[in-house]
Amino acid sequence: MNFSLDFIRTAVFVAIGLALVAAVFLPVLFARDARKKRLW
Amino acid sequence: MNEASALLDPTIGWILLSVLSVIWVGLGVYWGRKAANLEGFMLAGRNVGLALGTATAVATWITSNTTMLAPQFALQLGVWGMLAYCTASFGLFLFAPMAERIRALMPNGFTSAEFIRLRYGNVAWGIFLVISLFYGITWMISMGMAGGILMEALAGIPYVYGMTAILLVCVLYTLFGGLFAVIGTDFIQSWIILIGVCVVAIAVLNTVSIDEIYTNLERNRPALLDVLFPAALMAIFNNMLFGLGEIFHSNVWWSRAFAMRKGVGRKAYGLAGLVWLPIPIVAGFLGLAAPALGINVARPDMVGPVVAGTVLGEVGAVLVFVIVFASLASSIDSLLAATSDLVLNDFVKGMIARDASDAQLRRLGTAVIVSIGLVTWAFCAPRIGTLASVLFFAGPLVGSAIWPIIAGLYWQHTNRHGAVAAMLLGSAGGLVAYFTLGWYTATLIGTAISMLVVVSTSRFAPQTFEWSRLDAGPHGGHTEVGR
């Protein structure tokens, strides 16, 4: 039994999407903490 | 691989290495100004917020293995290979509530070994220190060696120069800035890695479709698509338990739990798990795409960089160099800081210089960091290949510490002697399994034995522990609670 094409396509696109969201999310979180003076 | 077959021109490699080194050391000096006292230096003032807390957990858990081994796993173990690597994120998810509890039980704590000493006594502390230091030093040696090998493979920089440069940079900025520098640089490094792996994966998708990749695998490497690929299925459990053991016991993660502001630990580690989870899949995808791109893989451990170089040319090679440097630095600096904290807090402050002032301890801390850097360099320099594989022995050792840690944090009636026996018997049993059954069973068996010992001794011979004894006071106290 093989992994289906749809499974692999979904896994890869979801993973790239999540990583891109994380790449945007981290600086936004940083800016929020900096604004509230809660970085350190 | 020699200069001629490196992905990057050595001159570009040297320029990149120099620029990155100057930036990280400069940031270390800049953030180091915040470390006014010993607590600031070791634990970044115990006030780290959500953004930096999340990023430092992500960056530390992304080692050069994540970016280099995930594509290799996918190439050799198929779809399960990259999914198996993702299970390492479970350690971050499960440590999230523990981080909160650690911070609450030990508001003035410094190290994971200190918890073991206060909770289980001096014998358990000694065994745990051996496991922890063995793991920390071997992981650092394997990272230092990986740094030298990768710099040579990517840019033709001779092994000893590349290895020395990356160790020196990490020692310098940790020395100047302590955990402030480590956490600050981790934020930038995690961001670079996230962007970098996405750019390469999207470039691969622009060159070859997933349909073509799938058809190629179905025709030429059908085992990689097999849902019941036996070797890959066994790798899942070993990988997951090794990851849990590494995070639960290592001072790298405990020191961050101590460093985060109250209420931040649970959210930061949970978010870090979510951010980390997709990276092995994105990186692993490069390995799956290699056959469809017509790449003849001579060295499976270099499949990620070769794919990046194929689809993006020199830009891809530069990107991979920066990603690899960031992955290595973010792990080496954390190990360096956490291991030196263990040595300083548990050996120097606990046994040798009990009455030393903060200023004296800070100076001793400097000596400890430099010494650990030198020891690591001395082991890395001869480039003994088998040394890196010693790290795999650590699997059953750290696996045997999982249950004493969990039970020690959550069960008031855990038996102290049971915890000692669990670490000893779990480690021994796991090592026997390593040599007689195979590497993929070692951590599983070590963890299982440890669990049986902790649960049975605590069930049949419970001992009561007062949680308040874990808070040893504002100076991290070396009170005699062990028996």
mmCIF file of all heavy atoms in Angstrom, chain B residues 276-326:
data_model
loop_
_atom_site.group_PDB
_atom_site.id
_atom_site.type_symbol
_atom_site.label_atom_id
_atom_site.label_comp_id
_atom_site.label_asym_id
_atom_site.label_seq_id
_atom_site.Cartn_x
_atom_site.Cartn_y
_atom_site.Cartn_z
ATOM 1 N N TRP B 276 8.183 24.481 14.559
ATOM 2 C CA TRP B 276 9.219 23.505 14.177
ATOM 3 C C TRP B 276 8.660 22.376 13.309
ATOM 4 O O TRP B 276 9.316 21.901 12.391
ATOM 5 C CB TRP B 276 9.850 22.912 15.448
ATOM 6 C CG TRP B 276 11.109 22.143 15.194
ATOM 7 C CD1 TRP B 276 12.381 22.621 15.203
ATOM 8 C CD2 TRP B 276 11.217 20.736 14.884
ATOM 9 N NE1 TRP B 276 13.271 21.618 14.919
ATOM 10 C CE2 TRP B 276 12.585 20.453 14.712
ATOM 11 C CE3 TRP B 276 10.299 19.702 14.719
ATOM 12 C CZ2 TRP B 276 13.056 19.176 14.405
ATOM 13 C CZ3 TRP B 276 10.760 18.427 14.402
ATOM 14 C CH2 TRP B 276 12.133 18.177 14.249
ATOM 15 N N LEU B 277 7.415 21.958 13.614
ATOM 16 C CA LEU B 277 6.795 20.788 12.974
ATOM 17 C C LEU B 277 6.939 20.729 11.445
ATOM 18 O O LEU B 277 7.291 19.681 10.899
ATOM 19 C CB LEU B 277 5.311 20.745 13.376
ATOM 20 C CG LEU B 277 4.490 19.583 12.828
ATOM 21 C CD1 LEU B 277 4.625 18.367 13.721
ATOM 22 C CD2 LEU B 277 3.022 19.969 12.724
ATOM 23 N N PRO B 278 6.678 21.819 10.716
ATOM 24 C CA PRO B 278 6.718 21.687 9.244
ATOM 25 C C PRO B 278 8.125 21.630 8.657
ATOM 26 O O PRO B 278 8.290 21.206 7.503
ATOM 27 C CB PRO B 278 6.002 22.951 8.757
ATOM 28 C CG PRO B 278 6.148 23.945 9.850
ATOM 29 C CD PRO B 278 6.186 23.155 11.120
ATOM 30 N N ILE B 279 9.138 22.027 9.430
ATOM 31 C CA ILE B 279 10.474 22.173 8.829
ATOM 32 C C ILE B 279 11.044 20.842 8.298
ATOM 33 O O ILE B 279 11.553 20.798 7.171
ATOM 34 C CB ILE B 279 11.429 22.886 9.812
ATOM 35 C CG1 ILE B 279 10.955 24.323 9.955
ATOM 36 C CG2 ILE B 279 12.876 22.861 9.299
ATOM 37 C CD1 ILE B 279 11.643 25.111 11.010
ATOM 38 N N PRO B 280 10.948 19.719 9.055
ATOM 39 C CA PRO B 280 11.460 18.461 8.487
ATOM 40 C C PRO B 280 10.712 18.041 7.214
ATOM 41 O O PRO B 280 11.299 17.404 6.334
ATOM 42 C CB PRO B 280 11.229 17.441 9.606
ATOM 43 C CG PRO B 280 11.137 18.240 10.844
ATOM 44 C CD PRO B 280 10.507 19.532 10.452
ATOM 45 N N ILE B 281 9.422 18.398 7.107
ATOM 46 C CA ILE B 281 8.672 18.027 5.894
ATOM 47 C C ILE B 281 9.149 18.873 4.710
ATOM 48 O O ILE B 281 9.415 18.363 3.619
ATOM 49 C CB ILE B 281 7.151 18.209 6.090
ATOM 50 C CG1 ILE B 281 6.674 17.283 7.209
ATOM 51 C CG2 ILE B 281 6.395 17.909 4.798
ATOM 52 C CD1 ILE B 281 5.188 17.321 7.457
ATOM 53 N N VAL B 282 9.300 20.190 4.966
ATOM 54 C CA VAL B 282 9.765 21.076 3.884
ATOM 55 C C VAL B 282 11.171 20.672 3.448
ATOM 56 O O VAL B 282 11.463 20.544 2.252
ATOM 57 C CB VAL B 282 9.740 22.564 4.340
ATOM 58 C CG1 VAL B 282 10.230 23.471 3.222
ATOM 59 C CG2 VAL B 282 8.331 22.967 4.758
ATOM 60 N N ALA B 283 12.062 20.423 4.422
ATOM 61 C CA ALA B 283 13.435 20.022 4.085
ATOM 62 C C ALA B 283 13.451 18.614 3.489
ATOM 63 O O ALA B 283 14.168 18.341 2.518
ATOM 64 C CB ALA B 283 14.318 20.086 5.334
ATOM 65 N N GLY B 284 12.616 17.704 4.057
ATOM 66 C CA GLY B 284 12.573 16.333 3.563
ATOM 67 C C GLY B 284 12.070 16.259 2.131
ATOM 68 O O GLY B 284 12.499 15.394 1.356
ATOM 69 N N PHE B 285 11.180 17.176 1.784
ATOM 70 C CA PHE B 285 10.636 17.212 0.422
ATOM 71 C C PHE B 285 11.752 17.335 -0.623
ATOM 72 O O PHE B 285 11.664 16.780 -1.722
ATOM 73 C CB PHE B 285 9.649 18.391 0.328
ATOM 74 C CG PHE B 285 9.208 18.719 -1.056
ATOM 75 C CD1 PHE B 285 8.503 17.783 -1.824
ATOM 76 C CD2 PHE B 285 9.498 19.953 -1.612
ATOM 77 C CE1 PHE B 285 8.099 18.094 -3.114
ATOM 78 C CE2 PHE B 285 9.100 20.266 -2.895
ATOM 79 C CZ PHE B 285 8.400 19.334 -3.649
ATOM 80 N N LEU B 286 12.832 18.032 -0.257
ATOM 81 C CA LEU B 286 13.964 18.183 -1.187
ATOM 82 C C LEU B 286 14.549 16.809 -1.517
ATOM 83 O O LEU B 286 14.938 16.541 -2.661
ATOM 84 C CB LEU B 286 15.065 19.066 -0.585
ATOM 85 C CG LEU B 286 14.655 20.442 -0.046
ATOM 86 C CD1 LEU B 286 15.894 21.205 0.398
ATOM 87 C CD2 LEU B 286 13.902 21.232 -1.094
ATOM 88 N N GLY B 287 14.601 15.922 -0.516
ATOM 89 C CA GLY B 287 15.127 14.572 -0.737
ATOM 90 C C GLY B 287 14.232 13.774 -1.670
ATOM 91 O O GLY B 287 14.712 13.074 -2.568
ATOM 92 N N LEU B 288 12.892 13.911 -1.466
ATOM 93 C CA LEU B 288 11.956 13.180 -2.331
ATOM 94 C C LEU B 288 12.040 13.666 -3.778
ATOM 95 O O LEU B 288 11.824 12.901 -4.722
ATOM 96 C CB LEU B 288 10.516 13.369 -1.836
ATOM 97 C CG LEU B 288 10.059 12.589 -0.606
ATOM 98 C CD1 LEU B 288 8.574 12.832 -0.368
ATOM 99 C CD2 LEU B 288 10.313 11.097 -0.752
ATOM 100 N N ALA B 289 12.344 14.966 -3.934
ATOM 101 C CA ALA B 289 12.362 15.558 -5.288
ATOM 102 C C ALA B 289 13.633 15.208 -6.063
ATOM 103 O O ALA B 289 13.660 15.327 -7.295
ATOM 104 C CB ALA B 289 12.212 17.078 -5.178
ATOM 105 N N ALA B 290 14.690 14.785 -5.360
ATOM 106 C CA ALA B 290 15.986 14.579 -6.028
ATOM 107 C C ALA B 290 15.914 13.639 -7.238
ATOM 108 O O ALA B 290 16.416 13.997 -8.316
ATOM 109 C CB ALA B 290 17.020 14.087 -5.010
ATOM 110 N N PRO B 291 15.255 12.459 -7.127
ATOM 111 C CA PRO B 291 15.223 11.568 -8.309
ATOM 112 C C PRO B 291 14.529 12.227 -9.513
ATOM 113 O O PRO B 291 14.996 12.093 -10.646
ATOM 114 C CB PRO B 291 14.438 10.351 -7.809
ATOM 115 C CG PRO B 291 14.578 10.365 -6.322
ATOM 116 C CD PRO B 291 14.640 11.806 -5.956
ATOM 117 N N ALA B 292 13.419 12.943 -9.271
ATOM 118 C CA ALA B 292 12.691 13.571 -10.381
ATOM 119 C C ALA B 292 13.493 14.703 -11.018
ATOM 120 O O ALA B 292 13.288 15.044 -12.189
ATOM 121 C CB ALA B 292 11.352 14.105 -9.878
ATOM 122 N N LEU B 293 14.406 15.296 -10.251
ATOM 123 C CA LEU B 293 15.247 16.375 -10.802
ATOM 124 C C LEU B 293 16.447 15.796 -11.571
ATOM 125 O O LEU B 293 17.272 16.546 -12.090
ATOM 126 C CB LEU B 293 15.753 17.277 -9.664
ATOM 127 C CG LEU B 293 14.718 18.219 -9.037
ATOM 128 C CD1 LEU B 293 15.231 18.772 -7.713
ATOM 129 C CD2 LEU B 293 14.367 19.357 -9.988
ATOM 130 N N GLY B 294 16.518 14.474 -11.615
ATOM 131 C CA GLY B 294 17.607 13.818 -12.352
ATOM 132 C C GLY B 294 18.952 13.914 -11.656
ATOM 133 O O GLY B 294 20.007 13.825 -12.282
ATOM 134 N N ILE B 295 18.904 14.108 -10.312
ATOM 135 C CA ILE B 295 20.160 14.244 -9.559
ATOM 136 C C ILE B 295 20.675 12.857 -9.177
ATOM 137 O O ILE B 295 19.942 12.058 -8.584
ATOM 138 C CB ILE B 295 19.942 15.101 -8.286
ATOM 139 C CG1 ILE B 295 19.569 16.521 -8.693
ATOM 140 C CG2 ILE B 295 21.189 15.108 -7.409
ATOM 141 C CD1 ILE B 295 19.085 17.368 -7.538
ATOM 142 N N ASN B 296 21.915 12.603 -9.528
ATOM 143 C CA ASN B 296 22.532 11.345 -9.138
ATOM 144 C C ASN B 296 23.208 11.568 -7.776
ATOM 145 O O ASN B 296 24.246 12.216 -7.694
ATOM 146 C CB ASN B 296 23.556 10.925 -10.203
ATOM 147 C CG ASN B 296 24.174 9.583 -9.872
ATOM 148 O OD1 ASN B 296 23.586 8.788 -9.147
ATOM 149 N ND2 ASN B 296 25.376 9.345 -10.384
ATOM 150 N N VAL B 297 22.593 11.051 -6.719
ATOM 151 C CA VAL B 297 23.072 11.360 -5.368
ATOM 152 C C VAL B 297 24.233 10.442 -4.976
ATOM 153 O O VAL B 297 24.040 9.259 -4.720
ATOM 154 C CB VAL B 297 21.928 11.237 -4.337
ATOM 155 C CG1 VAL B 297 22.417 11.609 -2.958
ATOM 156 C CG2 VAL B 297 20.763 12.108 -4.743
ATOM 157 N N ALA B 298 25.440 11.033 -4.962
ATOM 158 C CA ALA B 298 26.607 10.242 -4.564
ATOM 159 C C ALA B 298 26.700 10.174 -3.039
ATOM 160 O O ALA B 298 27.120 9.176 -2.477
ATOM 161 C CB ALA B 298 27.871 10.864 -5.140
ATOM 162 N N ARG B 299 26.332 11.282 -2.372
ATOM 163 C CA ARG B 299 26.374 11.325 -0.908
ATOM 164 C C ARG B 299 24.991 11.701 -0.394
ATOM 165 O O ARG B 299 24.593 12.863 -0.466
ATOM 166 C CB ARG B 299 27.391 12.381 -0.445
ATOM 167 C CG ARG B 299 28.833 11.921 -0.514
ATOM 168 C CD ARG B 299 29.748 13.011 0.005
ATOM 169 N NE ARG B 299 29.385 13.417 1.375
ATOM 170 C CZ ARG B 299 30.042 14.357 2.049
ATOM 171 N NH1 ARG B 299 31.056 14.990 1.485
ATOM 172 N NH2 ARG B 299 29.684 14.662 3.269
ATOM 173 N N PRO B 300 24.241 10.716 0.176
ATOM 174 C CA PRO B 300 22.883 11.013 0.648
ATOM 175 C C PRO B 300 22.835 12.160 1.664
ATOM 176 O O PRO B 300 21.860 12.906 1.696
ATOM 177 C CB PRO B 300 22.445 9.700 1.304
ATOM 178 C CG PRO B 300 23.285 8.645 0.671
ATOM 179 C CD PRO B 300 24.590 9.299 0.350
ATOM 180 N N ASP B 301 23.909 12.314 2.476
ATOM 181 C CA ASP B 301 23.891 13.380 3.491
ATOM 182 C C ASP B 301 23.994 14.769 2.860
ATOM 183 O O ASP B 301 23.786 15.774 3.538
ATOM 184 C CB ASP B 301 25.019 13.170 4.509
ATOM 185 C CG ASP B 301 26.397 13.138 3.876
ATOM 186 O OD1 ASP B 301 26.481 12.791 2.677
ATOM 187 O OD2 ASP B 301 27.382 13.438 4.559
ATOM 188 N N MET B 302 24.310 14.845 1.559
ATOM 189 C CA MET B 302 24.424 16.152 0.902
ATOM 190 C C MET B 302 23.267 16.399 -0.072
ATOM 191 O O MET B 302 23.313 17.341 -0.863
ATOM 192 C CB MET B 302 25.763 16.241 0.146
ATOM 193 C CG MET B 302 26.976 16.393 1.038
ATOM 194 S SD MET B 302 26.922 17.901 2.036
ATOM 195 C CE MET B 302 27.120 19.129 0.754
ATOM 196 N N VAL B 303 22.233 15.554 -0.013
ATOM 197 C CA VAL B 303 21.169 15.680 -1.009
ATOM 198 C C VAL B 303 20.446 17.036 -0.932
ATOM 199 O O VAL B 303 20.125 17.630 -1.966
ATOM 200 C CB VAL B 303 20.165 14.490 -0.916
ATOM 201 C CG1 VAL B 303 19.431 14.458 0.402
ATOM 202 C CG2 VAL B 303 19.182 14.543 -2.056
ATOM 203 N N GLY B 304 20.216 17.556 0.283
ATOM 204 C CA GLY B 304 19.545 18.853 0.435
ATOM 205 C C GLY B 304 20.299 19.975 -0.279
ATOM 206 O O GLY B 304 19.734 20.655 -1.150
ATOM 207 N N PRO B 305 21.580 20.184 0.072
ATOM 208 C CA PRO B 305 22.342 21.243 -0.609
ATOM 209 C C PRO B 305 22.446 21.031 -2.117
ATOM 210 O O PRO B 305 22.379 22.004 -2.880
ATOM 211 C CB PRO B 305 23.732 21.131 0.039
ATOM 212 C CG PRO B 305 23.485 20.535 1.368
ATOM 213 C CD PRO B 305 22.314 19.619 1.207
ATOM 214 N N VAL B 306 22.589 19.780 -2.563
ATOM 215 C CA VAL B 306 22.724 19.543 -4.007
ATOM 216 C C VAL B 306 21.426 19.910 -4.725
ATOM 217 O O VAL B 306 21.449 20.538 -5.793
ATOM 218 C CB VAL B 306 23.118 18.059 -4.283
ATOM 219 C CG1 VAL B 306 23.059 17.745 -5.763
ATOM 220 C CG2 VAL B 306 24.523 17.784 -3.754
ATOM 221 N N VAL B 307 20.281 19.574 -4.133
ATOM 222 C CA VAL B 307 18.994 19.946 -4.732
ATOM 223 C C VAL B 307 18.885 21.474 -4.795
ATOM 224 O O VAL B 307 18.497 22.042 -5.822
ATOM 225 C CB VAL B 307 17.813 19.342 -3.919
ATOM 226 C CG1 VAL B 307 16.492 19.965 -4.334
ATOM 227 C CG2 VAL B 307 17.770 17.838 -4.116
ATOM 228 N N ALA B 308 19.238 22.153 -3.687
ATOM 229 C CA ALA B 308 19.169 23.626 -3.660
ATOM 230 C C ALA B 308 20.082 24.220 -4.734
ATOM 231 O O ALA B 308 19.696 25.152 -5.457
ATOM 232 C CB ALA B 308 19.570 24.140 -2.274
ATOM 233 N N GLY B 309 21.294 23.677 -4.867
ATOM 234 C CA GLY B 309 22.245 24.164 -5.868
ATOM 235 C C GLY B 309 21.737 23.926 -7.278
ATOM 236 O O GLY B 309 21.935 24.748 -8.179
ATOM 237 N N THR B 310 21.019 22.804 -7.473
ATOM 238 C CA THR B 310 20.511 22.472 -8.809
ATOM 239 C C THR B 310 19.395 23.430 -9.237
ATOM 240 O O THR B 310 19.368 23.892 -10.374
ATOM 241 C CB THR B 310 19.975 21.008 -8.823
ATOM 242 O OG1 THR B 310 21.019 20.155 -8.381
ATOM 243 C CG2 THR B 310 19.520 20.602 -10.205
ATOM 244 N N VAL B 311 18.465 23.719 -8.327
ATOM 245 C CA VAL B 311 17.322 24.561 -8.734
ATOM 246 C C VAL B 311 17.596 26.054 -8.621
ATOM 247 O O VAL B 311 16.975 26.859 -9.319
ATOM 248 C CB VAL B 311 16.036 24.215 -7.926
ATOM 249 C CG1 VAL B 311 15.581 22.810 -8.225
ATOM 250 C CG2 VAL B 311 16.236 24.432 -6.433
ATOM 251 N N LEU B 312 18.526 26.458 -7.788
ATOM 252 C CA LEU B 312 18.756 27.897 -7.588
ATOM 253 C C LEU B 312 20.180 28.337 -7.945
ATOM 254 O O LEU B 312 20.512 29.516 -7.792
ATOM 255 C CB LEU B 312 18.472 28.287 -6.129
ATOM 256 C CG LEU B 312 17.010 28.427 -5.722
ATOM 257 C CD1 LEU B 312 16.888 28.569 -4.208
ATOM 258 C CD2 LEU B 312 16.361 29.637 -6.390
ATOM 259 N N GLY B 313 21.005 27.411 -8.390
ATOM 260 C CA GLY B 313 22.376 27.768 -8.761
ATOM 261 C C GLY B 313 23.179 28.282 -7.581
ATOM 262 O O GLY B 313 23.003 27.827 -6.451
ATOM 263 N N GLU B 314 24.003 29.309 -7.852
ATOM 264 C CA GLU B 314 24.879 29.816 -6.795
ATOM 265 C C GLU B 314 24.097 30.473 -5.657
ATOM 266 O O GLU B 314 24.494 30.391 -4.488
ATOM 267 C CB GLU B 314 25.884 30.815 -7.387
ATOM 268 C CG GLU B 314 27.106 30.966 -6.498
ATOM 269 C CD GLU B 314 28.316 31.470 -7.258
ATOM 270 O OE1 GLU B 314 28.227 32.588 -7.782
ATOM 271 O OE2 GLU B 314 29.332 30.754 -7.331
ATOM 272 N N VAL B 315 22.954 31.085 -6.016
ATOM 273 C CA VAL B 315 22.123 31.711 -4.977
ATOM 274 C C VAL B 315 21.660 30.642 -3.982
ATOM 275 O O VAL B 315 21.665 30.847 -2.764
ATOM 276 C CB VAL B 315 20.893 32.414 -5.607
ATOM 277 C CG1 VAL B 315 19.960 32.946 -4.531
ATOM 278 C CG2 VAL B 315 21.336 33.530 -6.523
ATOM 279 N N GLY B 316 21.265 29.479 -4.525
ATOM 280 C CA GLY B 316 20.831 28.368 -3.676
ATOM 281 C C GLY B 316 21.950 27.903 -2.768
ATOM 282 O O GLY B 316 21.729 27.615 -1.589
ATOM 283 N N ALA B 317 23.162 27.831 -3.320
ATOM 284 C CA ALA B 317 24.305 27.374 -2.522
ATOM 285 C C ALA B 317 24.606 28.363 -1.389
ATOM 286 O O ALA B 317 24.913 27.957 -0.264
ATOM 287 C CB ALA B 317 25.519 27.206 -3.418
ATOM 288 N N VAL B 318 24.503 29.667 -1.699
ATOM 289 C CA VAL B 318 24.716 30.698 -0.667
ATOM 290 C C VAL B 318 23.660 30.552 0.428
ATOM 291 O O VAL B 318 23.965 30.581 1.627
ATOM 292 C CB VAL B 318 24.674 32.123 -1.278
ATOM 293 C CG1 VAL B 318 24.621 33.183 -0.187
ATOM 294 C CG2 VAL B 318 25.874 32.348 -2.189
ATOM 295 N N LEU B 319 22.414 30.361 -0.019
ATOM 296 C CA LEU B 319 21.301 30.218 0.919
ATOM 297 C C LEU B 319 21.528 29.024 1.853
ATOM 298 O O LEU B 319 21.348 29.120 3.071
ATOM 299 C CB LEU B 319 20.008 30.022 0.114
ATOM 300 C CG LEU B 319 18.689 30.399 0.771
ATOM 301 C CD1 LEU B 319 18.721 31.831 1.260
ATOM 302 C CD2 LEU B 319 17.542 30.210 -0.211
ATOM 303 N N VAL B 320 21.947 27.897 1.252
ATOM 304 C CA VAL B 320 22.185 26.693 2.061
ATOM 305 C C VAL B 320 23.317 26.936 3.055
ATOM 306 O O VAL B 320 23.237 26.536 4.219
ATOM 307 C CB VAL B 320 22.500 25.483 1.154
ATOM 308 C CG1 VAL B 320 23.032 24.321 1.983
ATOM 309 C CG2 VAL B 320 21.262 25.055 0.402
ATOM 310 N N PHE B 321 24.365 27.626 2.611
ATOM 311 C CA PHE B 321 25.498 27.925 3.495
ATOM 312 C C PHE B 321 25.008 28.723 4.713
ATOM 313 O O PHE B 321 25.351 28.414 5.859
ATOM 314 C CB PHE B 321 26.558 28.725 2.724
ATOM 315 C CG PHE B 321 27.854 28.907 3.466
ATOM 316 C CD1 PHE B 321 28.941 28.070 3.225
ATOM 317 C CD2 PHE B 321 28.005 29.912 4.415
ATOM 318 C CE1 PHE B 321 30.133 28.230 3.913
ATOM 319 C CE2 PHE B 321 29.190 30.079 5.110
ATOM 320 C CZ PHE B 321 30.257 29.239 4.847
ATOM 321 N N VAL B 322 24.176 29.745 4.451
ATOM 322 C CA VAL B 322 23.685 30.595 5.544
ATOM 323 C C VAL B 322 22.768 29.792 6.465
ATOM 324 O O VAL B 322 22.853 29.889 7.698
ATOM 325 C CB VAL B 322 22.947 31.842 4.982
ATOM 326 C CG1 VAL B 322 22.338 32.669 6.105
ATOM 327 C CG2 VAL B 322 23.904 32.693 4.162
ATOM 328 N N ILE B 323 21.885 28.958 5.871
ATOM 329 C CA ILE B 323 20.968 28.135 6.679
ATOM 330 C C ILE B 323 21.759 27.181 7.576
ATOM 331 O O ILE B 323 21.485 27.047 8.768
ATOM 332 C CB ILE B 323 20.006 27.321 5.772
ATOM 333 C CG1 ILE B 323 19.032 28.239 5.042
ATOM 334 C CG2 ILE B 323 19.230 26.293 6.591
ATOM 335 C CD1 ILE B 323 18.197 27.525 3.986
ATOM 336 N N VAL B 324 22.765 26.520 6.969
ATOM 337 C CA VAL B 324 23.552 25.548 7.727
ATOM 338 C C VAL B 324 24.322 26.241 8.851
ATOM 339 O O VAL B 324 24.356 25.772 9.988
ATOM 340 C CB VAL B 324 24.514 24.784 6.779
ATOM 341 C CG1 VAL B 324 25.571 24.034 7.564
ATOM 342 C CG2 VAL B 324 23.730 23.811 5.921
ATOM 343 N N PHE B 325 24.919 27.392 8.552
ATOM 344 C CA PHE B 325 25.664 28.138 9.573
ATOM 345 C C PHE B 325 24.731 28.526 10.723
ATOM 346 O O PHE B 325 25.067 28.375 11.908
ATOM 347 C CB PHE B 325 26.315 29.388 8.954
ATOM 348 C CG PHE B 325 27.313 30.050 9.852
ATOM 349 C CD1 PHE B 325 28.657 29.716 9.785
ATOM 350 C CD2 PHE B 325 26.921 31.009 10.781
ATOM 351 C CE1 PHE B 325 29.584 30.320 10.620
ATOM 352 C CE2 PHE B 325 27.844 31.616 11.621
ATOM 353 C CZ PHE B 325 29.179 31.273 11.536
ATOM 354 N N ALA B 326 23.524 29.016 10.353
ATOM 355 C CA ALA B 326 22.566 29.435 11.387
ATOM 356 C C ALA B 326 22.118 28.224 12.217
ATOM 357 O O ALA B 326 22.002 28.312 13.445
ATOM 358 C CB ALA B 326 21.356 30.112 10.744
#
